[in-house]
Amino acid sequence: MARELHKMFFNSKLQITLSELSEACEVSPSQIRYWEKKGYIKSIQGQKNQSHKYTLATLGTVMGIKYYLNQGFTLAVAFEKQQQRRGLFKCIKSFANGRIQNIEVKDQHYEIDLGSLDNVPDKRVVAIVDNNGDTKLILRDDE
């Protein structure tokens, strides 16, 4: 299930224009072009003289850079901090893709099956997430 969600949201075919990126991130088109010139972001250009398009991943990068700029960091440091944050998100994504076996919707909560324990293969780790977002982990016998 996690892989399907990843494909849906991070498909590189989902693209936005420069003006859409600018509007969504509240960053001027000239700033975006400058960041692209500096190599901080990349665009997709099908043919020469065709308008540039940007992926949703680039949208996240631009939003991150802007966040750190607003915190008072220089552009170079803001980009570096965004790259570190991107590494954290990749780690979380890798964990979710590798561990989430199943998600069940119950009346008052969600149950996320994280698979068996490596050192106790007859037990499964299940995350119980209630409607308030509170989470607890439990062990269940492997069925």
Side-chain angles (χ1 to χ4, degrees):
M1 178 174 206
R3 285 181 182 87
E4 289 83 13
L5 287 173
H6 178 264
K7 286 179 187 176
M8 195 166 53
F9 287 105
F10 294 99
N11 185 335
S12 64
K13 293 179 183 164
L14 295 174
Q15 300 170 2
I16 59 176
T17 65
L18 174 64
S19 61
E20 291 168 332
L21 179 62
S22 173
E23 184 177 331
C25 298
E26 298 179 350
V27 174
S28 72
S30 61
Q31 279 182 298
I32 293 170
R33 286 188 207 101
Y34 178 72
W35 296 355
E36 188 171 355
K37 182 179 175 184
K38 297 289 279 180
Y40 296 140
I41 61 172
K42 294 178 183 169
S43 66
I44 300 166
Q45 187 177 19
Q47 297 176 2
K48 194 171 184 173
N49 297 328
Q50 193 177 42
S51 65
H52 294 232
K53 301 274 183 154
Y54 300 87
T55 65
L56 294 181
T58 301
L59 172 85
T61 299
V62 170
M63 291 178 83
I65 291 171
K66 182 177 188 282
Y67 170 81
Y68 289 114
L69 287 173
N70 289 345
Q71 299 300 311
F73 294 100
T74 65
L75 178 57
V77 173
F79 175 72
E80 184 179 315
K81 287 188 165 294
Q82 169 56 25
Q83 289 301 96
Q84 291 170 353
R85 187 167 83 168
R86 186 173 181 197
L88 174 62
F89 286 139
K90 281 185 176 184
C91 175
I92 293 168
K93 180 179 84 173
S94 177
F95 172 79
N97 283 336
R99 295 306 306 187
I100 295 176
Q101 306 292 309
N102 189 33
I103 300 175
E104 289 186 41
V105 180
K106 303 290 184 167
D107 285 339
Q108 299 296 316
H109 66 274
Y110 298 90
E111 292 188 9
I112 304 170
D113 181 353
L114 299 173
S116 62
L117 291 169
D118 291 340
N119 62 342
V120 187
D122 62 331
K123 299 283 185 185
R124 301 185 77 71
V125 177
V126 177
I128 309 290
V129 183
D130 68 23
N131 291 335
N132 295 323
D134 295 325
T135 302
K136 65 180 178 179
L137 297 175
I138 62 170
L139 285 177
R140 285 205 178 130
D141 290 330
D142 201 4
E143 299 169 0

